[in-house]
Amino acid sequence: MAAGNGNNHNQTAEEQWSSLPNDLLSTVYARFASPRDRLRFAAVCTSWRAVALTCPPRPVLPWLMLDPRGGDKTKRVYSPEDGMVLPRIPLPIEAADGRFVGGYEGGWVVSSDFPLGIVNLFSGTEVVYSSEQRRIIRTRAQESTGSLLVMRKVIFSAAPTSGGCIIAAITDRHGDLELSRAGCPEGRWTTRGFHAEERLTDIAFCNRELYGLMRYRNCLVKFEIGVDEQGAPVLTTVHRLAIQNSPAAYSGGDG
């Protein structure tokens, strides 16, 4: 009888946790910034998992890969939200031995080694690309023999598997800008070249708008993106943006 009463008591306690109001659970879930804590929350029971699926994801600081170079089957990452180095993450076969040059939230990484690969570290899902997208070739008129481009940085306007995601990349040739569309089996890259003194040093998407930093006087620019006759994204206009420098940046000494 004692054992039976204990089981009933445990079952009642579990039911009480499972029957907490959804608005209360949503408030609790919204306070968790760490992905690990959110996974633990969702693993409690079916009702908690349902709440986790309906809550919008909270912006979190990205994990920092401690060694993005190739040659490893596993990677160590630092989680700013957890304040700790997480256990080594095993890499999918598609990402092993590659050098990572980009990523997106949710575990997406870009391997620059030939052929170009974009894979999710957690699920192993690989984004489908055309053979032309995977093999990046210089096609300039003065280069009669094609040679592989080296991607220095790759970014996404949205999740790589979402519709309408645009990929932007800086290459090793004067910081040329390459554009393509994710998940397009017939896709291709379009190129916008720059003079050596205007080479791109960095790029970033903000609200699906593409911005860049040029080498010449650290000029900040905004790129307008259109489509060509085949539906591929192309750079149409470059706007130079004014940067207001803080006077403190030029003050010398302690006064």
Side-chain angles (χ1 to χ4, degrees):
M1 291 296 293
N5 290 337
N7 290 337
N8 290 337
H9 176 72
N10 291 336
Q11 185 177 5
T12 301
E14 292 174 359
E15 291 176 350
Q16 290 176 348
W17 283 109
S18 300
S19 60
L20 288 174
N22 285 352
D23 55 348
L24 175 60
L25 291 174
S26 298
T27 301
V28 173
Y29 183 77
R31 291 179 176 272
F32 292 138
S34 167
R36 287 156 55 91
D37 290 339
R38 292 192 161 212
L39 287 175
R40 293 188 183 106
F41 180 99
V44 170
C45 62
T46 303
S47 60
W48 286 37
R49 187 177 305 111
V51 169
L53 292 174
T54 58
C55 291
R58 175 178 173 178
V60 297
L61 296 173
W63 288 355
L64 305 177
M65 189 169 293
L66 301 183
D67 186 6
R69 295 174 298 178
D72 296 327
K73 305 297 182 184
T74 62
K75 291 291 184 183
R76 291 193 308 157
V77 297
Y78 173 78
S79 170
E81 304 289 357
D82 294 302
M84 61 182 294
V85 177
L86 303 180
R88 281 188 171 271
I89 298 177
L91 300 181
I93 297 177
E94 297 82 359
D97 299 327
R99 182 178 184 275
F100 298 147
V101 293
Y104 194 82
E105 62 185 53
W108 293 101
V109 295
V110 183
S111 173
S112 67
D113 293 351
F114 177 77
L116 181 72
I118 300 176
V119 64
N120 191 290
L121 293 180
F122 303 134
S123 65
T125 303
E126 187 176 11
V127 176
V128 178
Y129 287 100
S130 67
S131 57
E132 182 177 348
Q133 285 176 315
R134 292 175 66 87
R135 181 178 174 85
I136 311 303
I137 301 292
R138 291 195 179 103
T139 56
R140 296 182 176 278
Q142 65 269 28
E143 295 171 350
S144 56
T145 58
S147 57
L148 289 175
L149 284 174
V150 176
M151 296 294 191
R152 295 197 289 114
K153 182 175 184 178
V154 180
I155 61 174
F156 304 89
S157 65
T161 53
S162 64
C165 172
I166 294 178
I167 311 169
I170 301 178
T171 70
D172 63 336
R173 180 175 177 83
H174 301 322
D176 284 358
L177 180 65
E178 302 279 341
L179 298 176
S180 190
R181 194 173 299 279
C184 184
E186 303 300 325
R188 62 186 179 84
W189 293 92
T190 60
T191 304
R192 171 62 183 266
F194 297 96
H195 297 296
E197 63 275 8
E198 292 183 328
R199 93 162 29 208
L200 277 173
T201 58
D202 203 0
I203 52 175
F205 276 109
C206 180
N207 297 325
R208 290 182 176 264
E209 300 283 355
L210 182 59
Y211 296 84
L213 190 64
M214 289 187 167
R215 180 179 180 181
Y216 180 69
R217 294 185 179 179
N218 288 332
C219 178
L220 179 64
V221 296
K222 178 182 178 182
F223 300 111
E224 296 290 344
I225 300 176
V227 294
D228 62 12
E229 63 279 1
Q230 298 178 350
V234 293
L235 184 61
T236 58
T237 312
V238 180
H239 301 285
R240 295 181 181 269
L241 305 179
I243 303 177
Q244 184 175 357
N245 295 308
S246 171
Y250 298 97
S251 62
D254 298 331

